[in-house]
Amino acid sequence: MSRIAIIIGSTRPGRNGKAVAHWVYEIANQRSDAEFEIVDIADYDLPLLDEPKGAASGEYTKPHTKAWSQKIDTFDGFIFVTPEYNHATSPALKNAIDFLYKEWNNKAAGFVGYGATGATTAVENLRMIMAELKVADVRAQVRLSLFTDFENFSELKPAAFQEKSVHDMLDQVINWSSALSVIREPK
Ligand SMILES: Cc1cc2nc3c(=O)[nH]c(=O)nc-3n(C[C@H](O)[C@H](O)[C@H](O)COP(=O)(O)O)c2cc1C
């Protein structure tokens, strides 16, 4: 069975991202076609990228990089829960992505964006990054608006239709995570 990480893409104190990721996890856990785990970047205390060699080398020197690598390596697919900061994803998420390379390759990804307009620009930005990492990013995505899916821009109250949009996105991520297993090295 595919293992899918739900990655919290924000590390800011008071972040909305944590509630969004837990909401996605609750919906995902209704399913029996994959296993899901929340991965909080904040738990890994990643500094700004401090490895001397590029991630494609796989030659990691720092304990935080090795711990992050070991965790991400265990997954077959990813749900990136991303805010939008100045029309891009968060610097914390971009930095965490940049630390690794092979751990992302030949896996699938979907996106749950939240912001004034569902973080659509941040997700477009992430899709370009995924191509470089050989990640197959699915079409379906979840767009949560701070105006209509939150109260006071801080309390998550998603519109009813959003649950279906999560399942639509999960359907595609699980399909592609499984399909791509044939070209991944066995774990
Ligand atoms: C530095 C910064 C820049 C932001 N820029 C945008 C933006 O360009 N577009 C948008 O829709 N929301 C923007 N926002 C609003 C965030 O998407 C919103 O505050 C969201 O809750 C941030 O995620 P977080 O609470 O998990 O950190 C910005 C917020 C911050 C802190």
Side-chain angles (χ1 to χ4, degrees), residues 172-185:
Q172 295 179 13
V173 171
I174 292 165
N175 268 344
W176 283 13
S177 294
S178 164
L180 286 167
S181 67
V182 294
I183 58 169
R184 285 198 294 274
E185 287 172 21

Side-chain angles (χ1 to χ4, degrees), residues 28-85:
N29 252 347
Q30 298 164 9
R31 307 174 65 113
S32 55
D33 53 353
E35 290 172 8
F36 300 91
E37 183 178 326
I38 290 182
V39 174
D40 191 346
I41 292 170
D43 290 340
Y44 292 83
D45 284 330
L46 296 169
L48 283 176
L49 183 59
D50 63 349
E51 285 290 345
K53 291 199 176 173
S57 72
E59 294 178 39
Y60 303 140
T61 63
K62 302 286 186 339
H64 52 253
T65 315
K66 291 174 186 170
W68 180 232
S69 164
Q70 278 165 17
K71 173 52 73 176
I72 293 303
D73 206 36
T74 64
F75 295 104
D76 304 295
F78 309 102
I79 310 300
F80 291 100
V81 176
T82 180
E84 182 161 302
Y85 293 166

